[in-house]
Amino acid sequence: MGIIKGRWSFPIIRALMNGTMRFKELERNVSSINTRMLVKELKEMEAEGLVIRKAYATVPPTVEYSLTEKGQALKPVIVEIEKWAEKFLQ
Amino acid sequence: MGIIKGRWSFPIIRALMNGTMRFKELERNVSSINTRMLVKELKEMEAEGLVIRKAYATVPPTVEYSLTEKGQALKPVIVEIEKWAEKFLQ
DNA sequence: CCGCATCCCACAGGATACTG
DNA sequence: CAGTATCCTGTGGGATGCGG
């Protein structure tokens, strides 16, 4: 399992659990990520089939990201991690 | 959560789920890890309170590693990850 | 707004020889 | 057996400016 590798996939998935988000929204919501990393992670996650990218031909551009079923299915994992963290991290 | 960071903590924990193991056993059981990485990870995990190291003054030396309660508690996480992997990875 | 393009650095991780 | 010591490389990740 090297699919949630990288420092950011986890927080990004967490953010998208709450539903579709635009690029800028993600950039604001995901802790202290920077543009380059967000772009990079999103591309990788798209390639892995975890997120879907929808672009709208508006001015200025609108791009929405959401989780695929495969991405949504990671929720139980995240829940368990959070349970663990709550119990063992002060 | 940067505690299961690194490429190896996960497989190491997985191996130790089955019980106490000696250094060499781990080296054999954890896929293709090399000595340096195994030593390094074990030290970090010991510092994080995930594993316990027990050394015996024998010749040749015997060192056993096992999971702490905190380490054991990661089992549900691993279970969920495996469920997910089984479902979504061919 | 979205997201490339650059530049840069630290360090994770690999391979392997050596020691108590 | 259980590590330590070296050397080396790739790349993850940060900062920031530019363009459609």
Side-chain angles (χ1 to χ4, degrees), chain B residues 6-8 34 36-37 40 61:
Chain B
R7 178 170 169 187
W8 300 110
N34 65 44
R36 206 182 69 89
M37 276 300 113
K40 198 179 165 192

Side-chain angles (χ1 to χ4, degrees), chain A residues 1-87:
Chain A
M1 175 70 191
I3 206 166
I4 317 188
K5 73 165 195 288
R7 178 170 170 185
W8 300 110
S9 28
F10 182 76
I12 291 174
I13 290 175
R14 244 202 132 301
L16 289 177
M17 285 288 178
N18 305 324
T20 298
M21 279 188 128
R22 299 183 57 177
F23 186 86
K24 210 68 180 180
E25 282 183 286
L26 275 172
E27 201 166 10
R28 273 189 297 263
N29 276 278
V30 179
S31 62
S32 57
I33 195 169
N34 65 45
T35 310
R36 205 182 69 90
M37 276 301 114
L38 184 52
V39 173
K40 199 179 164 191
E41 285 290 331
L42 284 172
K43 270 190 186 154
E44 291 176 9
M45 292 169 71
E46 195 188 356
E48 286 162 347
L50 294 178
V51 305
I52 296 172
R53 190 191 113 111
K54 270 188 194 162
Y56 301 93
T58 56
V59 178
T62 303
V63 182
E64 293 181 343
Y65 292 91
S66 54
L67 291 178
T68 60
E69 192 192 345
K70 186 175 175 182
Q72 295 279 358
L74 283 168
K75 185 154 195 172
V77 175
I78 292 182
V79 168
E80 287 302 332
I81 291 178
E82 285 174 343
K83 274 194 211 164
W84 180 88
E86 192 178 350
K87 196 166 177 184

